[in-house]
Amino acid sequence: MTIRSTRRAFLRSGAAAVPVLAFSPSANAWLSCSDAAADAIAIPDLDGELLTDPADRAAAADDWGHIVSETPLAVLVPASIDDIRKAVKFCRQHCIKVGPMSMVGNSHSTQGQSQARCGLVIDMSGLSEIHAINPGDAVVDAGVRWFELLQQTLPLGKSPPVLTDHIDLSIGGTLSVGGIGGQTPQHGLQADNVLELWVVTADGDLEVCSPTSKATLFNSVRGGLGQFGIIVKARVKLIAVKPLARHYTAVYADVATLLADQVALMNEGRFDYVEGLGFPQPDDSYVLTIECVKYFDEGAPPDDAAMLAGLNFIPGTEAADTQPLYDFFDRLAPIVAFTKITGEWYLPHPLTDFFLPLSEAADFIESTLAVTPAIDIGYGPVLIYPFPRSKVTAPFIPLPNEPVSVLFSLLRWAPSADPAVAADLVAKNREVYEGVREVGGKRYSIGSVELDFGDWILHYGARWPQFLARKLIFDPKNTLTPGQGIFPW
């Protein structure tokens, strides 16, 4: 689907909006009349919508976290990549910050990472066309969501190698942060499975990059947190998949045993998907569960006994079911629908994700869960699963200095909308983060942990000089994605 609109005949909610014609640096405002201020600067011609209505700006000041709210001056709903080029170039010339965000259901960021205080938010859902599906790849706009791509590829027996657990996320957004899921132990991150990118730089230029063409830009924007350019289109890898999913679960007595089995499965490649989950209980304990999936054709189901052979779960806790592969990929949809009905979906979500070195992971996770009551997780759950460091090729995804990293995620749902409750959980995230750093771990940069400039330097470690150098090359005015809070200028 492509958004189509008449130039400057902007419509919103069925009513005509006031056209934006100029920007005033002195007033720091967009104007509906080109001579409304002495320093009024005419904006470029745009085919999309530039929205300044308070309701649209308020929507762009929210995300899935519902914790940080930074109101922009305007929201651009682009009708083309050219709209983004013009807008970014204009903003750079006039020192206006730019934050790309998918506003279909709000951004999935949790700490204002996609927001742009007093700047311009670009609603990337305005670019939502699937351009081509080829035997080994698909070319898609950055605003396409993963479930939309799957609906077209699965009937052809194809899927991206890696999917996040929640597939109602934009492709450009997850490529910018990394994109991790239960297929990562075999295939790396989503950012490791992109073949070509179309990027609008801070100069407003459109660059096409890949591992063999403009590789420096390509490797910067993959997992680059939006600091070096805006991904506007991507060629993502596709692999052959079977139409059905055999889904196995089993309960474990402790984290160490769970991790040992997960590592063995990772090395063997027995399953197509492996994750681990900790479900909080009323007594503040956690039920530790492995979740594994094997794709298969109808008429040739996997042998359950063989698939579970050698695993050290608690006997009698194993279970298996079969479902269409798409239903497995979209397994969170019923939970999302239910929590929207009950209202929990709209509460703060101060979640946080970490990468731990395998040697420290079991003890660290056990000790952290011991002091994390169920009320501090809410719907949760906790995620626990290992993956090989060698599978992650995006250079700006910091990982522990061991061959195997372990994802440890506290997917917190605040029990109320009280800002003090969310603030307390964010502070607890910071405490966990301090412990993660002490054992040589890293943070996955999508969650709710407040970092200062020094923290970011420690986060990137030996890669910080390169990260800074790329910023000075590709975005020296620090125009792009200020919500990450990396650079104080």
Side-chain angles (χ1 to χ4, degrees):
M1 179 183 72
T2 302
I3 289 181
R4 300 183 185 277
S5 59
T6 303
R7 177 172 295 169
R8 303 209 174 168
F10 302 141
L11 300 177
R12 197 67 164 179
S13 301
V18 177
V20 176
L21 300 178
F23 177 77
S24 168
S26 62
N28 200 28
W30 303 89
L31 309 173
S32 59
C33 180
S34 60
D35 58 358
D39 62 347
I41 303 167
I43 67 169
D45 285 338
L46 300 171
D47 294 313
E49 301 174 273
L50 190 62
L51 308 172
T52 58
D53 182 88
D56 294 310
R57 294 167 59 214
D62 193 17
D63 57 27
W64 196 61
H66 307 307
I67 299 167
V68 174
S69 181
E70 300 285 6
T71 304
L73 296 176
V75 179
L76 171 66
V77 182
S80 64
I81 292 174
D82 202 43
D83 277 354
I84 297 177
R85 291 183 57 249
K86 291 176 182 178
V88 170
K89 185 174 183 178
F90 181 88
C91 288
R92 182 180 185 273
Q93 290 172 340
H94 302 290
C95 299
I96 303 168
K97 302 291 187 182
V98 176
M101 172 189 290
S102 179
M103 289 175 58
V104 176
N106 291 326
S107 164
H108 207 67
S109 300
T110 63
Q111 197 71 18
Q113 289 95 333
S114 298
Q115 297 173 26
R117 180 176 179 270
C118 295
L120 177 70
V121 163
I122 300 177
D123 180 2
M124 299 302 294
S125 61
L127 295 182
S128 55
E129 183 175 355
I130 297 174
H131 296 274
I133 297 177
N134 305 310
D137 64 72
V139 180
V140 296
D141 282 341
V144 172
R145 291 173 284 170
W146 290 100
F147 82 88
E148 294 171 325
L149 178 59
L150 280 170
Q151 288 174 344
Q152 294 201 25
T153 64
L154 284 182
L156 304 175
K158 302 286 185 178
S159 170
V162 182
L163 293 164
T164 51
D165 291 336
H166 185 41
I167 59 174
D168 192 6
L169 305 179
S170 72
I171 290 176
T174 60
L175 293 179
S176 293
V177 298
I180 192 167
Q183 302 93 349
T184 291
Q186 300 301 320
H187 298 286
L189 304 176
Q190 289 180 325
D192 300 310
N193 289 278
V194 62
L195 306 175
E196 190 175 30
L197 291 169
W198 286 252
V199 177
V200 172
T201 68
D203 292 327
D205 297 328
L206 177 64
E207 302 285 359
V208 183
C209 55
S210 71
T212 58
S213 176
K214 301 181 180 177
T216 298
L217 178 62
F218 180 77
N219 288 323
S220 297
V221 296
R222 292 187 304 137
L225 307 182
Q227 295 304 300
F228 312 109
I230 299 173
I231 296 172
V232 294
K233 190 162 69 171
R235 184 184 304 276
V236 296
K237 185 178 180 181
L238 297 177
I239 61 172
V241 293
K242 306 294 179 63
L244 297 173
R246 187 64 171 162
H247 176 241
Y248 301 88
T249 59
V251 176
Y252 279 73
D254 55 69
V255 175
T257 307
L258 171 65
L259 283 174
D261 275 3
Q262 288 176 321
V263 170
L265 292 174
M266 176 187 77
N267 292 334
E268 182 184 333
R270 186 186 308 183
F271 290 97
D272 297 297
Y273 165 105
V274 177
E275 285 195 9
L277 304 100
F279 295 100
Q281 304 300 301
D283 65 354
D284 294 333
S285 65
Y286 288 80
V287 174
L288 301 171
T289 304
I290 197 169
E291 183 179 43
C292 308
V293 175
K294 184 66 176 178
Y295 310 154
F296 70 98
D297 285 314
E298 188 173 5
D303 182 325
D304 292 346
M307 297 306 295
L308 297 177
L311 299 183
N312 297 292
F313 50 79
I314 298 173
T317 63
E318 66 272 26
D321 63 88
T322 294
Q323 53 193 291
L325 186 56
Y326 181 84
D327 289 356
F328 169 71
F329 288 153
D330 199 29
R331 63 197 176 279
L332 297 188
I335 298 173
V336 170
F338 176 75
T339 56
K340 285 183 176 179
I341 292 172
T342 61
E344 281 96 343
W345 182 261
Y346 306 102
L347 294 175
H349 302 99
L351 61 82
T352 186
D353 309 80
F354 303 107
F355 298 132
L356 298 169
L358 178 62
S359 64
E360 302 281 352
D363 288 344
F364 186 88
I365 293 171
E366 292 276 14
S367 62
T368 300
L369 295 184
V371 296
T372 303
I375 195 171
D376 284 358
I377 297 296
Y379 268 95
V382 172
L383 299 182
I384 305 166
Y385 57 91
F387 60 95
R389 192 176 193 272
S390 61
K391 295 287 185 180
V392 178
T393 62
F396 293 135
I397 305 287
L399 295 174
N401 191 26
E402 288 189 7
V404 177
S405 296
V406 176
L407 176 75
F408 176 42
S409 299
L410 300 171
L411 303 184
R412 304 184 194 266
W413 293 54
S416 77
D418 184 350
V421 173
D424 176 64
L425 293 175
V426 172
K428 289 177 177 178
N429 286 345
R430 177 70 201 205
E431 292 177 7
V432 178
Y433 176 54
E434 295 286 352
V436 167
R437 291 203 305 201
E438 288 179 7
V439 299
K442 294 292 183 177
R443 170 179 174 260
Y444 183 38
S445 302
I446 64 169
S448 294
V449 178
E450 295 181 345
L451 303 185
D452 60 24
F453 187 57
D455 290 326
W456 281 106
I457 294 175
L458 290 174
H459 171 72
Y460 285 106
R463 296 184 182 182
W464 171 255
Q466 185 183 54
F467 190 90
L468 177 59
R470 299 283 176 86
K471 184 68 171 180
L472 295 175
I473 292 170
F474 293 118
D475 184 22
K477 287 191 174 183
N478 193 24
T479 301
L480 302 176
T481 320
Q484 287 288 354
I486 300 175
F487 299 97
W489 59 82

